């Protein structure tokens, strides 16, 4: 399923090194998580609600018993990766691009890892943990991607990427996408290289594909997505001096369509976007992510102070809203 995790032993009270922690303690944690996932109580620590789960541990960092990569996938739900020509590659039980990125990251960590040194990590929220079949669109927002701290070489590289993609023409570029296909019980996946090659028309077609479940266009998603985008747009317009360079926008929805018998599934939704019949409303969430190059007046490392809102980001949001609205009415 592409749900990838790092499992490590907790730091002890006396701050002993990772070398002194036992391999067994790390495996005990994993065994408890595995048992929790297959228990009849329905309570899960790892947040994919698929049963049965097949748990495998791959690509362990050699000589570091406490740092492992774990790939969990469902036997019945596969994903498809398309190449640049739109051809479908072999079926996989995970998101191939997610696994590729994860392996690269682990290799970097392994090469830099000092076995006698403790490491600190950021704990990130898994924003799709409450979704059974999460459909995710990752959009790089704005007409400029390089931060103020970028080298001249990186600046030139980022400017070229923007000029040659929909970042310049639409203020948004697809960095990744996975869509649950109800007809084949598989995922359709695209990566950032696919997104870079899209024309404005191709971008619109990709958004249409994101809202299509293989059986029909999910027109019920347009209104809640647009509503949340408009709310975000009104907020961004009020943010003086903020520049969200190289940040992304995640659009998430539940791929499993709800019936009228289901219970309400609210998650991160603005109350002003709630319909009268909330129990039949699709579960949708929109998140701004990746703020490493965001700057604003008063930030610790800012060298350049900007005035007014981020017009490149606003340009992208406005085009996104317009495109989704047009898709919903069949244009």
């Amino acid at each position: 399923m592409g749900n990838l995790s790092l499992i490590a032993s907790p730091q002890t009270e006396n701050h002993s090194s990772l070398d002194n922690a036992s391999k067994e303690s790390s495996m005990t944690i994993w065994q408890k998580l595995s048992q929790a996932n297959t228990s009849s109580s329905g309570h899960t620590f790892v947040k994919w609600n698929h049963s049965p789960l097949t748990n495998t541990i791959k690509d362990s960092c050699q000589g570091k018993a406490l740092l492992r990569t774990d790939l969990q996938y469902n036997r019945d739900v596969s994903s498809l990766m398309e190449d640049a020509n739109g051809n479908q590659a072999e079926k996989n039980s995970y998101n191939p691009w997610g696994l590729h990125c994860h392996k690269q990251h682990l290799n970097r960590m392994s090469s830099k890892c000092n076995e006698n040194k403790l490491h600190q990590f950021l704990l990130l929220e898994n924003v799709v943990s409450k979704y059974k079949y999460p459909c995710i669109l990752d959009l790089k927002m704005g007409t400029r991607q390089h931060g103020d701290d970028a080298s001249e070489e990186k600046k030139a590289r980022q400017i070229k990427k923007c000029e040659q993609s929909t970042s310049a023409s639409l203020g948004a570029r697809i960095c990744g996408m996975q869509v649950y296909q109800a007809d084949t019980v598989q995922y359709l996946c695209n990566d950032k290289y696919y997104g870079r090659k899209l024309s404005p028309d191709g971008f619109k077609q990709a958004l249409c594909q994101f809202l299509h479940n293989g059986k029909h266009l999910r027109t019920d998603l347009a209104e809640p997505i647009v509503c949340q985008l408009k709310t975000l747009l009104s907020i961004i317009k009020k943010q003086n001096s903020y520049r969200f360079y190289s940040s992304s926008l995640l659009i998430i929805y539940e791929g499993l369509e709800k019936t009228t018998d289901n219970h309400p599934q609210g998650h991160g939704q603005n109350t002003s976007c709630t319909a009268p019949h909330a129990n039949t409303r699709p579960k949708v969430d929109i998140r701004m992510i990746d703020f490493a190059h965001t700057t604003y007046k008063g930030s610790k490392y800012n060298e350049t102070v900007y005035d007014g809102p981020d017009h490149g980001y606003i340009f992208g949001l406005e085009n996104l809203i317009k495109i989704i609205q047009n898709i919903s009415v069949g244009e």
Side-chain angles (χ1 to χ4, degrees), residues 57-314:
I57 296 180
K58 294 186 177 182
D59 300 321
S60 298
C61 297
Q62 296 300 318
K64 301 171 184 65
L66 301 178
L67 182 62
R68 299 172 180 271
T69 173
D70 164 69
L71 171 64
Q72 303 172 343
Y73 60 93
N74 179 259
R75 291 192 180 109
D76 302 320
V77 182
S78 302
S79 60
L80 296 175
M81 177 67 79
E82 287 189 345
D83 61 22
N85 299 319
N87 299 317
Q88 292 179 347
E90 60 179 322
K91 296 179 182 179
N92 291 290
S93 299
Y94 52 87
N95 185 321
W97 180 246
L99 181 59
H100 168 76
C101 294
H102 194 66
K103 282 182 175 179
Q104 279 192 329
H105 182 61
L106 281 175
N107 287 335
R108 286 197 296 269
M109 289 176 63
S110 180
S111 64
K112 297 176 182 178
C113 186
N114 183 333
E115 294 183 17
N116 297 314
K117 181 183 176 183
L118 286 168
H119 296 271
Q120 290 185 323
F121 297 89
L122 290 174
L123 179 64
L124 303 180
E125 179 189 1
N126 176 8
V127 295
V128 297
S129 64
K130 296 183 180 180
Y131 294 76
K132 187 171 180 64
Y133 296 106
C135 298
I136 311 166
L137 182 64
D138 183 342
L139 296 165
K140 189 75 76 173
M141 297 298 294
T143 53
R144 169 180 159 176
Q145 298 305 321
H146 63 276
D148 291 334
D149 58 341
S151 64
E152 288 301 317
E153 181 185 357
K154 184 174 183 179
K155 180 179 176 181
R157 198 165 61 243
Q158 296 288 0
I159 289 174
K160 186 177 180 181
K161 283 180 187 177
C162 288
E163 290 176 344
Q164 295 178 346
S165 68
T166 54
S167 290
S169 56
L170 296 174
R173 181 174 83 230
I174 292 176
C175 281
M177 180 173 78
Q178 73 172 40
V179 192
Y180 176 67
Q181 303 292 278
D183 56 337
T184 58
V185 197
Q186 296 169 345
Y187 280 97
L188 181 66
C189 301
N190 288 311
D191 61 21
K192 64 181 181 180
Y193 300 106
Y194 165 84
R196 285 181 195 171
K197 297 176 182 178
L198 291 174
S199 65
D201 284 339
F203 180 89
K204 295 171 186 176
Q205 291 173 9
L207 253 63
C208 189
Q209 186 180 57
F210 175 64
L211 299 176
H212 202 289
N213 67 359
K215 292 183 176 180
H216 61 269
L217 187 66
R218 292 285 306 276
T219 53
D220 59 316
L221 296 166
E223 192 275 331
I225 290 175
V226 167
C227 182
Q228 292 191 45
L229 288 174
K230 285 182 175 180
T231 301
L232 177 59
L233 177 61
S234 67
I235 294 170
I236 297 295
K237 284 182 175 180
K238 298 173 185 176
Q239 304 309 310
N240 183 52
S241 84
Y242 276 83
R243 294 297 180 272
F244 301 98
Y245 298 137
S246 197
S247 71
S248 292
L249 192 68
L250 288 185
I251 300 179
I252 309 161
Y253 71 85
E254 174 57 68
L256 184 65
E257 287 190 88
K258 294 165 59 177
T259 63
T260 54
D261 294 331
N262 284 357
H263 295 292
Q265 295 180 333
H267 180 62
Q269 294 185 11
N270 188 296
T271 53
S272 63
C273 295
T274 303
H277 303 288
N279 62 321
T280 59
R281 190 175 183 80
K283 182 160 57 172
V284 171
D285 198 6
I286 293 178
R287 302 288 183 107
M288 292 177 71
I289 63 168
D290 299 342
F291 302 105
H293 302 287
T294 293
T295 182
Y296 60 94
K297 184 179 180 180
S299 60
K300 187 175 181 181
Y301 301 106
N302 72 310
E303 296 180 2
T304 306
V305 177
Y306 298 92
D307 187 38
D310 189 335
H311 292 288
Y313 202 106
I314 290 171

